[in-house]
Amino acid sequence: MSVALKLKKSEKGQIWQFLPYDEERAQNFSRLFDIPFIVARILAARGLADDTIEDFLFPKLKNLMPSPFILKDMEKAVQVIFSAVQNQEIIGIFGDYDVDGGTSSAILKKYFDMLGVKTFVHIPDRMTEGYGPNIEAFRKLAQMGASTVITVDCGSAAPDVMALAREDGLKTVILDHHLTAGETEGADATVNPNRMDDLSELGDLTAAGVCFLFCVAMNKICRDNNYFIDNSLKEPNLFSLLDLSALGTICDVAPITGLNRALVAQGLRVLQHGSNLGLRELSRIGRVTENIGTYHCGFVLGPRINAGGRVGRASAGFELLTTECPISATRLAEELDHYNTERKATEDTIKSEAISQIENQKLYHDPVIIAYSSAWHPGIVGIVASRIKENYHKPTFILGGDGDVLKGSGRSISGVDIGSAVKKAAEQNLILGGGGHKMAAGLTVREDQIQYLRDFFRAELSKDVEAARANASIKVDAELPLVAANFALFNALEKLQPFGVGNPSPVFCLRNVQVSFFKIIGENHLKVTFTDSSRVTLQAVCFRCMDQPLAKLLMQKEQKIDVLGALKRDTYHTGDNVQFIIEDVSLADIF
């Protein structure tokens, strides 16, 4: 028996899609794994094959880890690097400035330290160097003694730089995960599960995941060649690197399924031990008082590490992840926290100014919103684009820069491919350059080109945006009575962890509740108490909502409403309390 699909509209203009599930299958899961029925029905609706359920609930690397050599060019990569290791050569590492790049660089640095190999690491400055490898940085690494350079989380799209490096006598190995046609010309090896000629089916890996598999492969070749015995070395403990792999995977918003699920689950366990001094200090400064989970990685640790690349020193995050000095760990954590505070203040200013521009110029009528100012920080505009996209539920580009040339980032809605549109705009010389993927893109444009770009997006994407907005939906896992929203249920839901893309935190619907109390907290959040007909209450929070229509409905006491959201532990009070994190609201009984 399957429960029928229900549809409705919301204050965010979305359809609420109540997920169907097989009741008999859910009952079987409940008995087999000793979990409450509501948890079992969520599991039954996740589209997992029966023979994968145990690995889903109990993800282990020994069950899910493939041979790293199924990745195209992995054999070539480890041969190049093992030769350098055997010859006691210095290895250069060039990493991206985001969390995935920082964690990937840290994984390799720590691994080579365990091998006794000297490395130099370069993290490019977002403003002065931009994304991806540059020959000046490679030559600087060569001047420091590096004979081989490994690029992580970048490099696949830089054949010109690789060719110049080869001319300079440098060997290069790429460890990347961005979509590319095949081997990057000029590089000695291109390990990238998203090469079109790679058959590993590991395309969901981040660079941090690819780097971990590279270390597994290196351990094998070292073992096979008696490197550890000949050099009186203890074989590196790769499990000690899993906290970094998990952090990179979570913060790069990769699907938490398959191998990624095992990497994240095991990595979070390593993270709990606090052996990484930098992450331990960052957790303290971020006031993490409970076991670190995907939320803390994505919204507490990750943004602070990213802040160095956005508004401060690009290398600060990498330095934090690799320091072995408690004093340095504290100093770097405080520095990154300061950068993050600066980033948030800048973000709020840009968002406020962008919304004023959008409202005053009625840019919300456009299918793709473009707001810009030469005063806006290019390192922050991507975050703002994401926020404004949520406000208007339209693809949004926010551009900043210096002078007449603006750089910006765009974020899309499901069903609208802005990456392809940006690429087409570049081909037609409507912009100076750009690229990306379906949901996110970047571009460089002169101010006098912006109106042409708006016209182009209107002609190219109007129908897609209209269709996407008409069919916008949010998936709902189950209805939840207030009396059942307790710590026992929260604890049972932990069996479905870790949550993320591909395995989202369960979304529940509270039916026919009323707001008995509300309070604005901070500048843009709303604290609410829900009550039902039985006088049962539940504390709830709606983040960053005061400029959204749903806030008005949440401040209408006694009005019966339906609410969507997730059940979270309340860390601000003692005891085993829970609270509801609000995602969407609707008037009750409007089916």
Side-chain angles (χ1 to χ4, degrees):
M1 173 184 175
S2 293
V3 176
L5 199 71
K6 303 175 185 177
L7 303 175
K8 66 183 294 185
K9 290 283 185 177
S10 73
E11 285 298 295
K12 282 189 173 181
Q14 297 189 107
I15 296 168
W16 290 4
Q17 189 178 30
F18 287 74
L19 294 173
Y21 69 97
D22 187 294
E23 187 167 346
E24 184 178 349
R25 193 165 179 249
Q27 293 284 8
N28 185 47
F29 289 163
S30 180
R31 290 190 300 269
L32 188 60
F33 298 109
D34 191 26
I35 53 179
F37 177 75
I38 193 169
V39 178
R41 66 166 285 183
I42 293 169
L43 186 61
R46 297 263 150 143
L48 299 164
D50 284 1
D51 60 359
T52 66
I53 298 296
E54 189 162 357
D55 279 338
F56 177 87
L57 291 174
F58 311 103
K60 297 177 182 177
L61 275 173
K62 67 178 183 180
N63 296 336
L64 295 167
M65 172 70 77
S67 166
F69 295 101
I70 67 171
L71 284 164
K72 188 83 171 179
D73 269 13
M74 181 65 85
E75 183 74 44
K76 289 168 62 176
V78 296
Q79 289 292 348
V80 170
I81 301 304
F82 182 64
S83 176
V85 169
Q86 277 188 312
N87 294 327
Q88 298 182 323
E89 297 173 14
I90 296 172
I91 295 174
I93 299 168
F94 184 103
D96 190 22
Y97 40 64
D98 69 358
V99 181
D100 193 24
T103 53
S104 297
S105 301
I107 286 170
L108 294 188
K109 169 74 167 97
K110 284 176 168 286
Y111 179 74
F112 286 124
D113 282 352
M114 288 187 275
L115 286 184
V117 175
K118 189 172 184 179
T119 57
F120 291 114
V121 179
H122 181 83
I123 307 294
D125 184 275
R126 181 191 294 262
M127 302 299 295
T128 61
E129 295 179 77
Y131 171 78
N134 63 83
I135 193 61
E136 291 78 13
F138 278 30
R139 286 170 177 164
K140 181 179 178 181
L141 290 169
Q143 288 170 5
M144 298 169 74
S147 61
T148 305
V149 176
I150 305 174
T151 68
V152 293
D153 198 28
C154 59
S156 295
D160 294 346
V161 176
M162 300 303 163
L164 289 171
R166 175 171 285 179
E167 289 178 10
D168 287 353
L170 277 173
K171 292 182 179 178
T172 55
V173 169
I174 298 170
L175 302 179
D176 197 5
H177 70 125
H178 295 97
L179 187 64
T180 186
E183 184 175 16
T184 301
E185 188 176 348
D188 290 272
T190 306
V191 181
N192 184 335
N194 284 305
R195 285 174 55 164
M196 292 180 69
D197 58 347
D198 183 286
L199 304 178
S200 66
E201 298 185 355
L202 295 175
D204 287 339
L205 285 176
T206 62
V210 173
C211 286
F212 182 79
L213 287 188
F214 170 79
C215 292
V216 174
M218 279 296 298
N219 254 16
K220 184 178 187 306
I221 195 172
C222 288
R223 193 185 311 118
D224 291 346
N225 287 273
N226 297 318
Y227 181 82
F228 303 126
I229 295 173
D230 292 346
N231 292 277
S232 301
L233 285 174
K234 184 179 179 181
E235 185 170 322
N237 175 18
L238 299 185
F239 272 72
S240 68
L241 304 174
L242 282 170
D243 52 354
L244 297 171
S245 182
L247 182 61
T249 299
I250 294 164
C251 292
D252 221 49
V253 201
I256 310 298
T257 56
L259 176 57
N260 278 351
R261 185 167 174 80
L263 290 171
V264 170
Q266 182 61 49
L268 289 175
R269 284 192 281 270
V270 174
L271 198 51
Q272 308 306 338
H273 296 311
S275 55
N276 187 298
L277 293 179
L279 290 177
R280 189 168 70 201
E281 279 301 291
L282 204 58
S283 298
R284 180 186 64 80
I285 284 177
R287 297 182 178 86
V288 179
T289 57
E290 57 187 328
N291 286 340
I292 298 173
T294 53
Y295 170 81
H296 306 97
C297 290
F299 296 96
V300 180
L301 304 178
R304 286 169 169 81
I305 294 170
N306 250 339
R310 292 188 184 279
V311 298
R313 290 192 303 112
S315 63
F318 164 78
E319 291 171 20
L320 176 88
L321 296 173
T322 54
T323 184
E324 298 294 339
C325 172
I327 295 173
S328 294
T330 300
R331 175 181 58 80
L332 287 163
E334 290 174 348
E335 181 182 349
L336 286 167
D337 188 60
H338 169 74
Y339 289 145
N340 193 52
T341 300
E342 182 182 337
R343 186 270 303 169
K344 286 192 287 187
T346 305
E347 176 191 332
D348 289 343
T349 299
I350 295 175
K351 181 183 176 184
S352 176
E353 292 177 1
I355 289 176
S356 294
Q357 186 179 125
I358 291 164
E359 292 294 325
N360 292 338
Q361 298 180 25
K362 296 182 171 53
L363 300 177
Y364 48 77
H365 290 310
D366 291 338
V368 177
I369 295 171
I370 302 176
Y372 68 93
S373 169
S374 60
W376 294 344
H377 195 302
I380 309 295
V381 293
I383 306 172
V384 177
S386 181
R387 302 276 188 249
I388 291 180
K389 175 206 74 173
E390 293 297 327
N391 277 31
Y392 294 97
H393 197 64
K394 285 187 173 182
T396 301
F397 282 84
I398 305 296
L399 314 176
D402 185 16
D404 293 335
V405 175
L406 301 164
K407 292 183 178 181
S409 293
R411 299 293 184 269
S412 194
I413 59 177
S414 181
V416 182
D417 183 352
I418 59 172
S420 295
V422 166
K423 184 179 179 182
K424 191 171 180 180
E427 291 169 351
Q428 295 183 17
N429 296 318
L430 296 173
I431 58 177
L432 298 178
H437 52 79
K438 290 182 179 181
M439 300 302 291
L443 57 82
T444 303
V445 60
R446 292 194 312 271
E447 186 174 350
D448 60 11
Q449 292 176 305
I450 290 177
Q451 189 55 50
Y452 295 108
L453 183 61
R454 285 179 173 141
D455 294 340
F456 170 78
F457 281 148
R458 187 176 296 110
E460 191 76 14
L461 296 176
S462 285
K463 290 183 179 178
D464 290 345
V465 172
E466 184 179 353
R469 284 168 57 84
N471 297 308
S473 66
I474 183 169
K475 292 179 173 60
V476 186
D477 289 280
E479 294 181 16
L480 182 66
L482 292 194
V483 70
N486 52 41
F487 188 76
L489 175 59
F490 170 80
N491 207 34
L493 289 169
E494 292 287 277
K495 294 181 182 296
L496 304 180
Q497 288 268 27
F499 296 126
V501 177
N503 182 46
S505 180
V507 175
F508 294 107
C509 176
L510 309 179
R511 291 280 194 199
N512 290 300
V513 296
Q514 295 173 290
V515 175
S516 58
F517 168 85
F518 69 83
K519 177 183 179 182
I520 298 172
I521 55 177
E523 294 183 1
N524 200 25
H525 314 307
L526 192 64
K527 184 176 182 180
V528 175
T529 300
F530 291 126
T531 307
D532 65 11
S533 58
S534 301
R535 303 293 183 183
V536 177
T537 62
L538 177 64
Q539 303 301 313
V541 178
C542 192
F543 292 110
R544 295 188 297 271
C545 69
M546 295 308 299
D547 54 354
Q548 297 182 30
L550 60 83
K552 295 180 181 179
L553 189 53
L554 286 170
M555 292 188 289
Q556 293 180 24
K557 290 185 178 181
E558 310 306 323
Q559 171 67 59
K560 287 193 174 183
I561 57 177
D562 292 342
V563 187
L564 293 191
L567 199 63
K568 301 291 184 184
R569 184 170 191 163
D570 184 353
T571 58
Y572 293 96
H573 301 90
T574 59
D576 293 334
N577 297 311
V578 294
Q579 62 181 348
F580 199 74
I581 307 301
I582 301 166
E583 294 186 21
D584 202 357
V585 184
S586 170
L587 288 170
D589 302 322
I590 62 169
F591 295 99

